[in-house]
Amino acid sequence: PQAIFPSRPPKVCWLGLQFLGITFLGIGLWAWNEKFSVFLGIIFFLELTAGVLAFVFKDWIKDQLYFFINNNIRAYRDDIDLQNLIDFTQEYWQCCGAFGADDWNLNIYFNCTDSNASRERCGVPFSCCTKDPAEDVINTQCGYDARQKPEVDQQIVIYTKGCVPQFEKWLQDNLTIVAGIFIGIALLQIFGICLAQNLVSDIEAVRASW
């Protein structure tokens, strides 16, 4: 007997299916790009707002940074991740405490009170110590009794400048780089918004021609 094969759908059906597929694809791309463009616009607006607020409320931000560092100093031994973060910050900025080494009086292990029986009394963490390029191994006890010394001698052993002033100094020294990074990010976002809008316009033009 002769095999019976399903007949091929009429050409009109194939054209209709292709038309529907293109229509759904176009609507999907339009919706996605519309949302993407709005999303980029919102991010750009928030970044611009944050920049303006940071300039206007810079003193408030400095106070918040001061409180943040001091709160972390109090909890220095409570969380190893927090401890590593503080050590990294003090080593990177070459600083000690928020506004000076005496901020470590806030920590129960490093304060200079007579009731403190800790060996680290009147000291600072090793991350406050000035580094000797010739030393390959970190001396974790280099900060012991550091704050019992006169201030002139302290400057030889530990960093005496606070992390907040050091951060401000870094921003001033690298203002051009920081501004260039933010401007570059903003331009990329604007470029992305323009591309998304152009794609939406092209899709709408194609749909209008159907």
Side-chain angles (χ1 to χ4, degrees), residues 4 10 75 119 133 146 166:
I4 300 176
R119 179 61 187 89
Q166 286 294 88

Side-chain angles (χ1 to χ4, degrees), residues 9 28 33 35 45 48 53 69 77 82 89 125 131 141 167 170 175 184:
N33 281 281
K35 293 178 181 178
F45 175 76
L48 183 62
L53 291 177
I69 294 176
R77 295 294 190 198
L82 178 63
T89 301
K131 301 299 182 291
Q141 300 179 358
F167 177 68
W170 181 87
L175 185 61

Side-chain angles (χ1 to χ4, degrees), residues 46-62:
L46 291 176
E47 289 175 345
L48 183 62
T49 303
V52 173
L53 291 177
F55 178 78
V56 174
F57 298 101
K58 56 184 178 181
D59 292 333
W60 179 84
I61 293 175
K62 182 166 64 175

Side-chain angles (χ1 to χ4, degrees), residues 11-110:
K11 188 175 182 180
V12 176
C13 293
W14 282 109
L15 291 176
L17 291 173
Q18 291 175 356
F19 176 78
L20 288 175
I22 294 174
T23 301
F24 284 122
L25 178 62
I27 292 174
L29 288 174
W30 175 83
W32 184 86
N33 281 281
E34 189 72 23
K35 293 178 181 178
F36 182 68
S37 178
V38 173
F39 179 70
L40 286 179
I42 292 174
I43 291 178
F44 178 75
F45 175 76
L46 291 176
E47 289 175 345
L48 183 62
T49 303
V52 173
L53 291 177
F55 178 78
V56 174
F57 298 101
K58 56 184 178 181
D59 292 333
W60 179 84
I61 293 175
K62 182 166 64 175
D63 292 338
Q64 294 303 310
L65 182 60
Y66 169 75
F67 291 131
F68 173 77
I69 294 176
N70 281 344
N71 286 334
N72 290 336
I73 286 175
R74 292 187 182 94
Y76 178 73
R77 295 294 190 198
D78 299 338
D79 186 343
I80 187 62
D81 293 328
L82 178 63
Q83 182 175 319
N84 291 334
L85 175 62
I86 294 175
D87 287 336
F88 171 79
T89 301
Q90 292 188 146
E91 287 179 334
Y92 184 79
W93 302 113
Q94 296 185 351
C95 57
C96 191
F99 281 99
D102 286 337
D103 288 333
W104 281 97
N105 279 326
L106 297 171
N107 187 274
I108 60 174
Y109 298 100
F110 295 99

